[in-house]
Amino acid sequence: MADESEPSVKRDAGDAGDAGDTEEDDLTDAKPDRSSFLSVLRKKKNVSEKSNQPLPEYKRMVVPKFQYNMDYKKVGKCIIINNKQFESKTGMGTRNGTDKDVEGLYKCFRSLGFDVIVHNNRSCSDMQNLLKQVSQEDHTESACFACILLSHGEEDVIYGTDGVTPIKDLTVHFRGDKCKSLLGKPKLFFIQACRGTEFDDGIQTDSGPINDTNANPGCKIPVEADFLFAYSTVPGYYSWRNPGKGSWFVQALCSVLNEFGKSLEIMQILTRVNYRVAMDFESQSDNPCFNEKKQIPCMVSMLTKELYF
């Protein structure tokens, strides 16, 4: 989206409180920062004085290693929630092909060393209670945690067998302030579900071929840090599934993990998943409205280090 020009702001007596802000103050983006003009004036006035002041001391006790420590007794637990059938009140049909996804994911994550547990056809409350219970377990001897959600969905919500629940309500239990034994460790969520009702028609290329925990003692980290969300599609769009072979996203994910899961970093892995879904899949349907459609997965990362299995 193009940047929008900000309207000029007329200062009055009510703005006097902003004048106390200094260069060192941390501000939020919740309201316009009206102190920039005065800040520039102060900076010019004090530039000579500041140039003679000693630089502040910045202390770092530990130089971070930018790879997650995987040297634990266990790789970690992988929870697969597979919702195939839904109550009639939801209006959602049977997700034929999802069992193929489960079969491939189970083998794939087992080969990576995860302790994989499958839960079929869970209600919204079942999913919430299940993940809350898992978050309260002791993960001290685990390097990370993974959760795979297979269901119908819409933007920001996913279906249980009896209705929808916000995805945030399922993942919140693993925040750093709620799940202390996974603090500083990667929490991975793979979500195969629609995120809207838009179709991606694709675009024909005609310009030639496409080229192919080390932290300081006592430090604070954000409670939302170290999460990774790998969605099967971008916000607003359908996610495709083949009744005989499974979903496009899971097919590609398993293929890449089986080939590169123990050699590439997780973002490299998911980038290759994006490529395979984008290039290797296209819908086929007798209905022109559903024919020749494309899909691109989407990852949202709050990881703070590189992750190698």
Side-chain angles (χ1 to χ4, degrees), residues 177-212:
D177 57 341
K178 297 179 181 295
C179 183
K180 298 295 181 63
S181 60
L182 283 172
L183 182 63
K185 300 176 182 179
K187 280 84 64 174
L188 315 176
F189 289 84
F190 302 86
I191 303 170
Q192 166 56 45
C194 290
R195 304 181 72 187
T197 56
E198 295 183 55
F199 287 115
D200 189 331
D201 294 322
I203 181 69
Q204 189 68 42
T205 58
D206 56 5
S207 57
I210 299 176
N211 298 324
D212 287 331

Side-chain angles (χ1 to χ4, degrees), residues 155-175:
E155 181 56 27
D156 296 328
V157 300
I158 195 163
Y159 274 82
T161 57
D162 58 347
V164 296
T165 186
I167 294 174
K168 185 77 171 177
D169 287 357
L170 303 178
T171 64
V172 67
H173 305 296
F174 297 89
R175 286 184 4 168

Side-chain angles (χ1 to χ4, degrees), residues 24-294:
E24 289 75 21
D25 288 337
D26 292 315
L27 305 175
T28 69
D29 286 327
K31 64 176 182 178
D33 179 8
R34 303 172 180 176
S35 61
S36 58
F37 177 71
L38 291 181
S39 177
V40 171
L41 293 180
R42 287 197 300 270
K43 186 183 297 184
K44 289 181 178 179
K45 180 180 178 181
N46 298 327
V47 64
S48 59
E49 298 176 6
K50 289 186 177 181
S51 63
N52 296 324
Q53 295 177 356
L55 294 174
E57 293 184 9
Y58 295 97
K59 296 181 180 179
R60 166 161 272 166
M61 298 175 62
V62 177
V63 177
K65 296 179 181 178
F66 288 99
Q67 285 187 18
Y68 284 107
N69 178 20
M70 301 299 284
D71 188 19
Y72 285 85
K73 185 177 180 179
K74 298 180 289 185
V75 173
K77 183 169 286 188
C78 174
I79 300 296
I80 300 177
I81 297 180
N82 175 41
N83 290 338
K84 179 179 181 179
Q85 298 171 325
F86 302 82
E87 296 180 14
S88 58
K89 67 179 181 180
T90 65
M92 295 291 108
T94 301
R95 298 182 60 254
N96 294 318
T98 191
D99 293 332
K100 277 286 185 181
D101 286 348
V102 173
E103 180 183 348
L105 290 165
Y106 184 88
K107 293 178 180 178
C108 183
F109 278 79
R110 284 275 293 180
S111 70
L112 292 175
F114 282 90
D115 178 18
V116 184
I117 303 173
V118 179
H119 300 270
N120 292 309
N121 296 321
R122 299 292 177 167
S123 68
C124 294
S125 61
D126 286 342
M127 292 193 294
Q128 293 167 2
N129 292 334
L130 168 64
L131 291 179
K132 182 177 182 180
Q133 180 180 342
V134 173
S135 72
Q136 293 172 344
E137 295 175 0
D138 186 1
H139 300 270
T140 303
E141 296 183 341
S142 297
C144 63
F145 169 76
C147 176
I148 304 170
L149 304 175
L150 310 172
S151 189
H152 289 299
E154 299 171 14
E155 181 56 27
D156 296 328
V157 300
I158 195 163
Y159 274 82
T161 57
D162 58 347
V164 296
T165 186
I167 294 174
K168 185 77 171 177
D169 287 357
L170 303 178
T171 64
V172 67
H173 305 296
F174 297 89
R175 286 184 4 168
D177 57 341
K178 297 179 181 295
C179 183
K180 298 295 181 63
S181 60
L182 283 172
L183 182 63
K185 300 176 182 179
K187 280 84 64 174
L188 315 176
F189 289 84
F190 302 86
I191 303 170
Q192 166 56 45
C194 290
R195 304 181 72 187
T197 56
E198 295 183 55
F199 287 115
D200 189 331
D201 294 322
I203 181 69
Q204 189 68 42
T205 58
D206 56 5
S207 57
I210 299 176
N211 298 324
D212 287 331
T213 323
N214 296 310
N216 295 333
C219 75
K220 294 174 67 175
I221 64 174
V223 297
E224 302 284 0
D226 305 301
F227 279 87
L228 173 68
F229 298 93
Y231 294 93
S232 60
T233 190
V234 292
Y237 284 82
Y238 278 112
S239 186
W240 290 90
R241 169 175 36 83
N242 183 282
K245 298 178 181 179
S247 65
W248 298 358
F249 174 65
V250 173
Q251 288 182 62
L253 178 63
C254 290
S255 175
V256 175
L257 282 175
N258 286 331
E259 189 173 356
F260 301 107
K262 294 185 179 180
S263 60
L264 295 182
E265 199 273 330
I266 189 64
M267 298 306 289
Q268 293 176 308
I269 289 171
L270 292 176
T271 299
R272 296 197 183 202
V273 172
N274 280 4
Y275 181 86
R276 292 197 182 182
V277 173
M279 299 301 170
D280 296 348
F281 294 88
E282 185 173 298
S283 67
Q284 298 179 10
S285 174
D286 294 333
N287 185 338
C289 295
F290 291 82
N291 195 40
E292 297 182 347
K293 304 303 180 183
K294 302 292 288 184

